[in-house]
Amino acid sequence: LLCLVPVVRLLKVLRHFETFQLLLSAFKQVLEALPVLLYTQLLLTLVFSSLIFLVEPRDNFASLPTAAWLTIVTMTTVGYGDVTPASPAGSCVVGILVISSVIFTAFPLGIIGSTFTAVWSDRDRILLMQRTRDCLDQWGYTAHDIAKLFKLADQDGDNELNLEEFRDLMDHMRLGLKDERVVELFLSFDYD
């Protein structure tokens, strides 16, 4: 139990890093695809375990769990070498398993990579939302008060914020964004 205390303390420190919020956001988005990927991996494991168990002699693979062990070790590219196919047919099945595993591994990596790219390109908006939530919580504002804040920042009364009004709002909120980031953020919100 005492071994976990430093780990928990480090995890508590992580929540103060803004880029960690980006990482969490990406993980939340990737988790949507996880059940389908796990089901596909389970299906591949069962199919190839059964094939290996059928084509290999019983003295090499005495049970289906042994064949499943070989399949899982091969799919995860760990490859302990404690169990290997003895027959040419078993070697062919394991060869097809290796190729299938490499192709299957490419799918989640592509999904994860594109998600992290999307989150990184949207980082200003995500970080601004997090900073705004923190500031609003700190000052005691609720989500219903945001419309009032925008109305107060709207100096010319046209119910729209122009760039100068948006800059003033960001300055008053003390979010710590540089001027270039404020302009980029405004342009991402306002297309006209």
Side-chain angles (χ1 to χ4, degrees), residues 52-79:
I52 291 169
F53 185 69
L54 289 174
V55 300
E56 281 293 308
R58 292 295 158 257
D59 60 339
N60 193 23
F61 287 91
S63 65
L64 187 60
T66 308
W69 170 252
L70 173 68
T71 304
I72 291 170
V73 167
T74 303
M75 287 181 76
T76 57
T77 67
V78 174

Side-chain angles (χ1 to χ4, degrees), residues 3-192:
C3 298
L4 295 177
V5 173
V7 174
V8 172
R9 291 183 66 171
L10 281 175
L11 289 175
K12 285 178 73 173
V13 170
L14 276 178
R15 66 181 169 183
H16 298 292
F17 291 103
E18 288 181 339
T19 51
F20 183 69
Q21 300 299 326
L22 294 174
L23 190 63
L24 282 179
S25 176
F27 277 131
K28 287 176 188 174
Q29 291 178 19
V30 168
L31 285 178
E32 294 175 10
L34 191 61
V36 174
L37 297 173
L38 289 176
Y39 176 76
T40 308
Q41 186 161 14
L42 177 68
L43 187 66
L44 283 172
T45 302
L46 290 176
V47 167
F48 280 100
S49 297
S50 301
L51 285 174
I52 291 169
F53 185 69
L54 289 174
V55 300
E56 281 293 308
R58 292 295 158 257
D59 60 339
N60 193 23
F61 287 91
S63 65
L64 187 60
T66 308
W69 170 252
L70 173 68
T71 304
I72 291 170
V73 167
T74 303
M75 287 181 76
T76 57
T77 67
V78 174
Y80 285 120
D82 56 345
V83 181
T84 57
S87 68
S91 296
C92 287
V93 171
V94 171
I96 293 170
L97 172 63
V98 168
I99 293 169
S100 301
S101 299
V102 168
I103 292 170
F104 175 74
T105 305
F107 290 126
L109 292 177
I111 292 170
I112 292 168
S114 66
T115 302
F116 279 114
T117 301
V119 166
W120 184 254
S121 66
D122 199 26
R123 70 185 178 275
D124 289 329
R125 188 185 63 79
I126 294 170
L127 292 176
L128 176 69
M129 286 173 47
Q130 186 63 41
R131 286 179 187 165
T132 304
R133 276 190 206 113
D134 293 342
C135 286
L136 291 174
D137 286 342
Q138 183 181 12
W139 295 336
Y141 290 114
T142 64
H144 301 291
D145 297 326
I146 293 176
K148 294 176 187 173
L149 286 173
F150 273 86
K151 193 162 196 84
L152 287 173
D154 183 22
Q155 296 168 355
D156 56 6
D158 63 351
N159 290 328
E160 290 183 1
L161 293 182
N162 59 30
L163 180 58
E164 292 306 316
E165 293 168 339
F166 188 73
R167 277 185 181 149
D168 289 342
L169 179 64
M170 293 296 110
D171 287 341
H172 288 298
M173 292 181 79
R174 296 186 204 124
L175 296 176
L177 293 176
K178 296 179 181 174
D179 191 50
E180 304 88 40
R181 295 279 180 154
V182 171
V183 171
E184 287 176 20
L185 188 62
F186 178 78
L187 292 176
S188 71
F189 289 145
D190 188 45
Y191 298 113
D192 58 357

